[in-house]
Amino acid sequence: MRIERYMRGAAQQAEKTSRIACNAGLVLAFLFAGLFVAPSATQDETLTVATPWEPKSLDPIIYPSSVDISEPLLSVDSEGKISPMLAQSWDISEDGKTWTFHLREGVSFHDGTPFNAEAAKLSLERTFRKSAEYSSIKAFPVESVTAPDEYTLQITTSRPFAPLAGYLTKDAAEILAASSFDSNDEVVEPIGTGPFRFDSWVPKESMSGVRFDDYWGSQARVKTVVFLNAPEEKTRESMLRAGEVDIIGTISPALAKGLTKEPDFTVYKQEEMGRVRHLLLNVANPPLDDVLVRQAISVAIDRDLICDSLLEGMDQPASAPFSSNLYWSKDGLEAPSYDPEQAKAFLEEAGWSDSDNDGIRDKDGRNLKLSLFTYPSRPELPSMAEAVKDQLRQVGIDTEITILDDSAVREQAKGGKVDIYLVSVNTLYNRDPDTWASYFTTESHYHDCMNYAPDDVADLIEKGRETIDQEARKEIYDQLQERILKDVPVVYLTYYTGISASRSDIHDYELSLIGKHHLENAYKS
């Protein structure tokens, strides 16, 4: 994993906020092969992380758990490839409908019951039963789940479904023990196989886990991990400076730049594979129902300036869903570039001119004004919204910015009040391009923000799902990318680098390719 660490400058005194009590640390020495003793390290019993993400549920189908309590059959390795987790290997039948998973032996759930094919079957059947409620797994065309023997699991689909392996890496497909559920099929306590067992949950505030000493993999080095919800970046920064937390997540490039100058802190950067910031354009709302206006918006934005100024040079401009280092990117894709004169020409062609010379274009007595929404949990987005507003103003488009959380924005979108939605979304969250393609379906969380799901696009998406051969799938997603860039229901702005920071006495912490905090090996000296 490519993690860049920076350590610099002198620590500053910060405001005091409520303190998190940690258990006393232990001093440990590690003896290697009887030849030498490594430098001693104080092993604090607790690691505390502050993030903007609220722990909304104990059920991984509803919301991902901050703590590594449960695990899926498959995972994502440091190179972004689908890799074994609770399944050691898998194969697909010739007709592409039967997936056979060979499960890891000798694994126990946190309640002491064995992990086996029957346990996996029970958990996944519940996942598929609830799939109609949650769009992240709604696409599963599962016909049956069977357990031919103790450590073999088979999933049969009604039609070939190439993204299945990718979807089985997602939180919604994590395996929970039977004792996790009540008689109504609801999670009362998540009991998984992960390195930490569930300890506590305070809705909207915190979630904690305790080391599972019988974990099948490498045992965690700390006893307890605590994740705190701190929506404001300034609050997270203050908590870090005051020593109230050990790690803070989802920080802006501006804060990262400041912390790199101070030796008391370490900054971690990870280019998140597939995550991209982009504008969703509501093609059902005039004037965005005109592709010329959408094209004008795309070429009116100076992506390089945004990256260099607002993002401190930490991110790269994006004009397509997949960066060039990813397999699913399309070579030679003709992508839009910054051209304000062309933007003005598009608007003129669409009939929008500045008849009263007030700097805002108008048509039939109506000014060209759009609503732009974004959310604050990714702290750079409000500033990016202001930059987009300024750049659109230069070509005669007026925008009104509203900052709300994501769920509130989507509620506004249902009423048609959202013209433009600035989001940061991972297009390969499950390592499969169907993640991205699914945004252009009527089942998507973001459908009301775009209202873009043409029949021929839907046909391409289904064809991509049913094509097992990877090279043939690649051609389908190449076609889909060309179509999206032509129709412009979205405007891609920048690729995303995940950034977190810790106090300098934290060691072996990692930030994953999909932005998760890996605490299994982390410890405090």
Side-chain angles (χ1 to χ4, degrees):
M1 179 174 295
R2 198 177 53 125
I3 297 180
E4 300 176 18
R5 305 189 176 193
Y6 303 84
M7 306 177 66
R8 307 189 176 124
Q12 301 174 354
Q13 181 65 28
E15 61 185 281
K16 303 293 184 180
T17 54
S18 58
R19 295 187 177 275
I20 307 301
C22 295
N23 296 326
L26 299 174
V27 178
L28 298 178
F30 296 93
L31 193 62
F32 293 94
L35 298 178
F36 67 95
V37 178
S40 61
T42 300
Q43 296 279 330
D44 193 292
E45 290 293 305
T46 300
L47 280 179
T48 306
V49 184
T51 79
W53 313 116
E54 173 191 333
K56 294 181 179 179
S57 175
L58 294 178
D59 190 339
I61 293 179
I62 298 174
Y63 199 77
S65 172
S66 304
V67 181
D68 288 330
I69 295 169
S70 51
E71 300 170 311
L73 293 183
L74 306 176
S75 186
V76 180
D77 66 16
S78 60
E79 296 180 352
K81 298 176 182 177
I82 295 176
S83 61
M85 179 57 83
L86 292 178
Q88 291 185 299
S89 63
W90 63 98
D91 47 71
I92 313 171
S93 63
E94 288 189 12
D95 65 2
K97 296 181 181 181
T98 300
W99 296 64
T100 301
F101 299 90
H102 308 284
L103 306 184
R104 192 178 299 277
E105 300 182 23
V107 176
S108 295
F109 286 105
H110 299 156
D111 62 359
T113 58
F115 164 76
N116 53 31
E118 281 297 332
K121 174 179 180 293
L122 175 72
S123 184
L124 286 175
E125 284 179 332
R126 174 183 180 271
T127 296
F128 300 142
R129 278 197 304 274
K130 288 183 169 289
S131 64
E133 301 174 38
Y134 304 103
S135 64
S136 65
I137 52 174
K138 194 176 292 185
F140 284 163
V142 172
E143 199 169 75
S144 66
V145 183
T146 59
D149 59 50
E150 187 173 10
Y151 293 106
T152 303
L153 182 79
Q154 287 187 330
I155 299 177
T156 301
T157 56
S158 58
R159 63 182 189 275
F161 188 65
L164 181 62
Y167 277 97
L168 290 178
T169 70
K170 297 192 76 168
D171 305 89
E174 289 180 354
I175 307 300
L176 294 176
S179 55
S180 303
F181 315 117
D182 63 16
S183 58
N184 295 319
D185 215 18
E186 301 298 327
V187 174
V188 290
E189 178 179 336
I191 298 171
T193 60
F196 298 99
R197 59 181 175 82
F198 174 74
D199 179 48
S200 69
W201 174 50
V202 180
K204 298 185 178 181
E205 292 184 14
S206 66
M207 182 177 287
S208 66
V210 176
R211 180 176 60 220
F212 180 44
D213 292 336
D214 293 328
Y215 182 55
W216 60 268
S218 299
Q219 190 179 95
R221 299 180 70 172
V222 293
K223 182 178 180 180
T224 305
V225 292
V226 179
F227 283 81
L228 301 177
N229 175 225
E232 297 295 329
E233 182 181 55
K234 288 187 180 297
T235 302
R236 298 197 296 279
E237 179 187 359
S238 295
M239 296 170 79
L240 183 70
R241 291 185 179 280
E244 295 163 355
V245 299
D246 302 299
I247 300 165
I248 58 174
T250 316
I251 66 175
S252 65
L255 176 56
K257 183 179 180 180
L259 291 176
T260 59
K261 299 175 181 178
E262 306 183 36
D264 283 356
F265 307 107
T266 304
V267 172
Y268 306 78
K269 292 171 54 183
Q270 174 63 61
E271 183 180 335
E272 290 191 19
M273 187 170 291
R275 183 172 290 279
V276 61
R277 301 179 185 92
H278 52 279
L279 304 175
L280 309 183
L281 306 183
N282 190 343
V283 303
N285 280 6
L288 294 177
D289 56 346
D290 188 336
V291 69
L292 289 170
V293 176
R294 303 197 298 270
Q295 289 173 329
I297 291 172
S298 183
V299 299
I301 296 172
D302 189 342
R303 297 161 177 82
D304 289 309
L305 181 62
I306 289 174
C307 287
D308 293 340
S309 58
L310 290 179
L311 303 177
E312 304 292 347
M314 293 186 184
D315 293 303
Q316 299 298 315
S319 52
F322 308 116
S323 57
S324 60
N325 62 321
L326 298 177
Y327 173 79
W328 298 104
S329 68
K330 184 184 185 307
D331 292 336
L333 190 65
E334 188 174 344
S337 57
Y338 177 55
D339 190 342
E341 294 307 313
Q342 180 62 66
K344 293 174 183 177
F346 282 140
L347 294 173
E348 288 287 344
E349 185 179 350
W352 292 93
S353 60
D354 186 6
S355 62
D356 54 6
N357 295 315
D358 65 350
I360 302 299
R361 293 176 180 271
D362 55 85
K363 180 180 179 181
D364 300 328
R366 175 191 173 191
N367 282 346
L368 182 47
K369 184 174 183 178
L370 302 171
S371 62
L372 191 160
F373 286 71
T374 194
Y375 50 96
S377 51
R378 296 200 181 271
E380 74 284 353
L381 292 184
S383 296
M384 287 185 64
E386 291 290 345
V388 169
K389 175 179 179 176
D390 289 345
Q391 292 176 8
L392 294 184
R393 175 87 185 200
Q394 293 174 24
V395 299
I397 300 174
D398 189 19
T399 55
E400 180 180 358
I401 297 173
T402 302
I403 310 297
L404 296 172
D405 66 42
D406 178 68
S407 59
V409 175
R410 287 188 275 115
E411 281 300 314
Q412 293 291 309
K414 290 179 181 178
K417 298 177 181 179
V418 177
D419 293 321
I420 304 174
Y421 187 19
L422 171 58
V423 296
S424 172
V425 176
N426 197 314
T427 59
L428 282 173
Y429 188 71
N430 65 6
R431 301 306 100 200
D432 192 280
D434 189 64
T435 305
W436 166 71
S438 67
Y439 297 149
F440 308 109
T441 66
T442 56
E443 294 83 13
S444 170
H445 279 311
Y446 299 112
H447 176 68
D448 292 321
C449 301
M450 289 187 287
N451 287 289
Y452 177 86
D455 289 344
D456 55 343
V457 168
D459 290 343
L460 273 177
I461 293 170
E462 284 305 312
K463 188 177 179 182
R465 289 172 173 171
E466 295 183 3
T467 302
I468 300 297
D469 180 79
Q470 183 159 288
E471 291 186 7
R473 288 191 80 205
K474 176 71 166 56
E475 293 179 4
I476 293 167
Y477 292 106
D478 283 353
Q479 294 177 46
L480 191 55
Q481 288 178 74
E482 288 180 336
R483 176 62 186 276
I484 296 305
L485 261 67
K486 177 183 177 183
D487 288 355
V488 205
V490 301
V491 173
Y492 298 101
L493 300 178
T494 72
Y495 299 115
Y496 182 91
T497 298
I499 314 173
S500 59
S502 76
R503 298 189 64 84
S504 58
D505 59 353
I506 302 302
H507 307 282
D508 292 348
Y509 158 80
E510 292 184 349
L511 186 62
S512 80
L513 285 165
I514 54 175
K516 296 193 73 171
H517 302 275
H518 283 298
L519 303 180
E520 309 96 291
N521 301 315
Y523 67 95
K524 184 184 300 185
S525 63

